[in-house]
Amino acid sequence: MSGVDGLGVLGHIRGRETTSRVPVVLITAHADRPHRLRGLQAGADEFLEKPIDSAILMTRVKTLLSLKASQDALARSVDELEQRHLAVEQARRDHKELTEFIVHDLKSPLSVICANLEFAHGLLQSPPGAVRHADPEELASAIEDSRLASKRLTTMIADLLAISRMEDSAFLLHREEISVTGMLRAVIQSYVARAREKGIALTSPPELDLRMNADRTLMLRVLENILDNAFRYTPERGHISIAARTTPNVEILVSNDGPGIPMPQRHRIFDKFRRGSTETASRSNAGLGLYFCKRAVEAHGGAIDVVDSTDFPTTFRISLPP
């Protein structure tokens, strides 16, 4: 070969990732030890001298190919072990995140319930007649705080169970034809008192003939999670809007005038046990609720994301097949 010898070709072969492990037999007329040593040091697997004995050459080639097959099998085994190791490490991280989630997020509503029970217990342990002078508004507030905390606990536990089922490949949806407007108005009705208490304007969608085949129970809980999230961030005398449209998919838009979500965080907030960069455990199940929504919507063949809106800083869009 003009301009390059066998050792040069061998260097190119060994220098490329795709050919670095290809067996190479050097065939040469040079029998001296230094030349043979240079070839082996350059990466040759065998070194045969001319004239070539074809039987020896074929035997050496078969041996090298067999060795190459064994090395490839070993490399695949190493890769598989590495993948398994990474999977175990990911499972360990998930377990750690789950533990942290349970400790932080479930502890908050439990603390509210325990504090209010201690308050009520203290009233009952007061001298006879003292309980009659307890402030009714204070008692009502303690009971309402405990009720809402119990509801948050129930929702978080239900979301954990539902996520566990949805992450199972055998999870089945119980689909039925649903009136989208009817479902949205039913959910909104359950938040009217809460909106009135915070002075929040709650806008319902107009009556539209929109229908879809979906699991009603899952979709109701998706909407409740999104609305709970909206109420956590919407200031007093703020505004929450629920709208629906076809694109031709069925789209449900839940908007609020709380703080906007920065673009880099818009995808991460749907990750399992993930919150925004400024969010704390006091935000209840923010680390789980949106992940539940994502899994439930994707189980229907749809998608959920945060989109820009000219009227609101934050708009969650749920897109589902009709």
Side-chain angles (χ1 to χ4, degrees):
M1 292 176 288
S2 177
V4 61
D5 61 5
L7 293 179
V9 174
L10 178 57
H12 284 292
I13 293 174
R14 291 291 180 250
R16 295 176 178 270
E17 184 178 354
T18 55
T19 59
S20 62
R21 293 162 59 184
V22 172
V24 175
V25 178
L26 282 183
I27 300 174
T28 178
H30 299 284
D32 59 285
R33 181 178 180 277
H35 190 81
R36 180 189 296 268
L37 185 59
R38 284 198 302 273
L40 294 175
Q41 289 174 338
D45 297 280
E46 284 286 356
F47 199 101
L48 298 180
E49 300 172 10
K50 297 178 182 179
I52 295 300
D53 185 319
S54 59
I56 292 177
L57 175 61
M58 292 303 297
T59 300
R60 297 286 178 87
V61 169
K62 289 179 180 179
T63 299
L64 289 174
L65 290 176
S66 178
L67 179 61
K68 174 67 165 53
S70 298
Q71 291 173 337
D72 289 345
L74 179 60
R76 287 193 297 270
S77 297
V78 171
D79 290 341
E80 290 175 3
L81 287 173
E82 179 65 20
Q83 291 301 317
R84 291 181 183 180
H85 172 72
L86 293 175
V88 169
E89 285 297 306
Q90 183 60 50
R92 185 186 64 79
R93 288 192 294 270
D94 288 346
H95 182 270
K96 183 175 182 290
E97 289 178 347
L98 175 59
T99 301
E100 292 176 350
F101 165 79
I102 293 174
V103 169
H104 291 99
D105 288 60
L106 298 187
K107 184 178 179 180
S108 178
L110 276 174
S111 298
V112 172
I113 295 171
C114 290
N116 285 311
L117 286 175
E118 287 293 331
F119 170 72
H121 180 72
L123 291 177
L124 293 175
Q125 295 300 312
S126 300
V131 71
R132 293 194 299 269
H133 301 292
D135 186 345
E137 291 187 3
E138 193 174 8
L139 279 172
S141 177
I143 293 172
E144 178 63 12
D145 286 346
S146 297
R147 186 187 70 82
L148 292 176
S150 298
K151 183 180 178 181
R152 290 199 301 272
L153 275 176
T154 301
T155 299
M156 282 187 277
I157 292 170
D159 285 349
L160 279 169
L161 293 174
I163 287 171
S164 177
R165 290 173 54 218
M166 282 187 287
E167 289 179 340
D168 185 344
S169 59
F171 176 75
L172 296 176
L173 296 174
H174 301 286
R175 292 180 182 268
E176 59 180 294
E177 187 178 72
I178 299 173
S179 167
V180 176
T181 306
M183 178 180 65
L184 292 177
R185 291 190 171 183
V187 172
I188 291 169
Q189 186 60 37
S190 65
Y191 285 85
V192 168
R194 186 173 174 183
R196 187 184 302 117
E197 180 183 348
K198 291 190 66 175
I200 292 176
L202 196 56
T203 303
S204 300
E207 186 65 45
L208 297 173
D209 186 21
L210 290 181
R211 296 185 175 276
M212 63 180 180
N213 288 309
D215 187 312
R216 183 185 296 273
T217 300
L218 276 183
M219 290 312 304
L220 284 172
R221 290 191 34 221
V222 166
L223 293 168
E224 288 170 355
N225 269 294
I226 297 297
L227 278 171
D228 284 340
N229 186 77
F231 271 93
R232 279 194 293 271
Y233 290 101
T234 302
E236 290 189 8
R237 292 181 291 279
H239 186 194
I240 296 175
S241 171
I242 298 92
R245 65 190 183 191
T246 55
T247 61
N249 279 352
V250 173
E251 288 192 353
I252 299 171
L253 306 170
V254 181
S255 306
N256 69 82
D257 54 9
I261 301 174
M263 187 66 69
Q265 296 184 26
R266 291 188 179 183
H267 295 292
R268 293 200 298 267
I269 61 172
F270 295 102
D271 291 346
K272 197 173 188 178
F273 311 126
R274 182 64 63 90
R275 300 184 177 90
S277 59
T278 60
E279 193 152 8
T280 65
S282 62
R283 291 296 188 180
S284 182
N285 61 332
L288 179 67
L290 294 180
Y291 175 72
F292 163 78
C293 294
K294 178 176 181 287
R295 292 305 300 253
V297 170
E298 289 179 349
H300 284 80
I304 181 171
D305 56 358
V306 178
V307 297
D308 291 322
S309 168
T310 57
D311 299 319
F312 293 92
T314 300
T315 295
F316 282 85
R317 177 178 62 187
I318 302 168
S319 178
L320 295 163

